[in-house]
Amino acid sequence: FACVVSAAQQTAEQRRLTQYWALKAAAASAKAASSVSSLFSHSATARYLRQFDDGSALWAMAPSALEARFWDEVESAELVHNFGDGDWRGANCGYDLTIALGRNASVFPNQWQLQVTRDMPLDPVNNIFTEWSETHLFGFTPFKHVLAPDAATAASRPVYGALNFYRSAGGNPQCGPVAAVFSK
């Protein structure tokens, strides 16, 4: 089925973290730019592209053209979010959205929001792991009680997705057999 939902407005916490990580990413990108360029001019890259040529003759393109194409693809890539349609046996990434909930949603909820609204049961094991990751690695403000998430903190947490670079992948099937595709 196809369903169109709007992106939720970013919370102040999400804006703060997006700005912080964008600055860090820009600095890391500037530092790595020469390495990315050298990858496209490396003879092993040309050999690899020639060996697996699908008729597009990417191997014959100038390194600068390959690099430009790479960045164009990154810019237009989609994000894919997989879920198990509410059955814990169908997904390995915690309780998540269902097709029925998605059909009626005006925005795409994250897993915390689904627990707050009781659309999914509390997930104690996944909550402890996810809370640690989101606070220690990403910098989100912690929940007061991770086993009783509150709506305001939940609204600031992310929806996870995989980069669908060439718009041909089905996402991460380990997280479930249903895929939601986010594109510009």
Side-chain angles (χ1 to χ4, degrees):
F1 81 95
C3 178
V4 177
V5 295
S6 301
Q9 292 295 320
Q10 279 190 323
T11 65
E13 173 90 340
Q14 289 170 329
R15 280 192 302 277
R16 177 185 70 79
L17 288 170
T18 299
Q19 290 169 351
Y20 171 79
W21 288 109
L23 287 171
K24 287 193 75 96
S29 292
K31 206 169 161 181
S34 64
S35 296
V36 172
S37 292
S38 67
L39 172 69
F40 290 104
S41 58
H42 197 281
S43 60
T45 303
R47 281 194 310 276
Y48 176 84
L49 292 172
R50 188 173 204 148
Q51 180 181 357
F52 295 103
D53 185 31
D54 61 359
S56 61
L58 292 174
W59 58 270
M61 291 177 69
S64 60
L66 282 172
E67 184 177 356
R69 184 174 174 155
F70 169 80
W71 290 116
D72 287 345
E73 292 290 342
V74 168
E75 186 62 33
S76 65
E78 300 169 334
L79 292 175
V80 180
H81 175 88
N82 285 67
F83 55 97
D85 204 27
D87 184 352
W88 65 270
R89 293 167 300 209
N92 190 31
C93 301
Y95 291 112
D96 206 340
L97 193 65
T98 65
I99 292 173
L101 288 170
R103 247 189 204 120
N104 299 314
S106 58
V107 297
F108 198 92
N110 65 44
Q111 291 171 317
W112 295 105
Q113 291 170 308
L114 292 168
Q115 293 177 60
V116 168
T117 59
R118 305 277 191 258
D119 287 317
M120 284 293 141
L122 284 174
D123 193 351
V125 173
N126 194 55
N127 283 5
I128 291 167
F129 167 75
T130 305
E131 172 72 352
W132 186 93
S133 299
E134 290 176 354
T135 57
H136 289 85
L137 301 177
F138 304 152
F140 283 97
T141 301
F143 284 103
K144 286 187 176 111
H145 304 286
V146 72
L147 300 180
D150 63 278
T153 308
S156 288
R157 296 301 177 93
V159 171
Y160 291 92
L163 186 65
N164 189 6
F165 199 77
Y166 293 110
R167 294 169 307 285
S168 62
N172 182 356
Q174 179 181 355
C175 293
V178 183
V181 179
F182 303 97
S183 62
K184 293 182 192 180

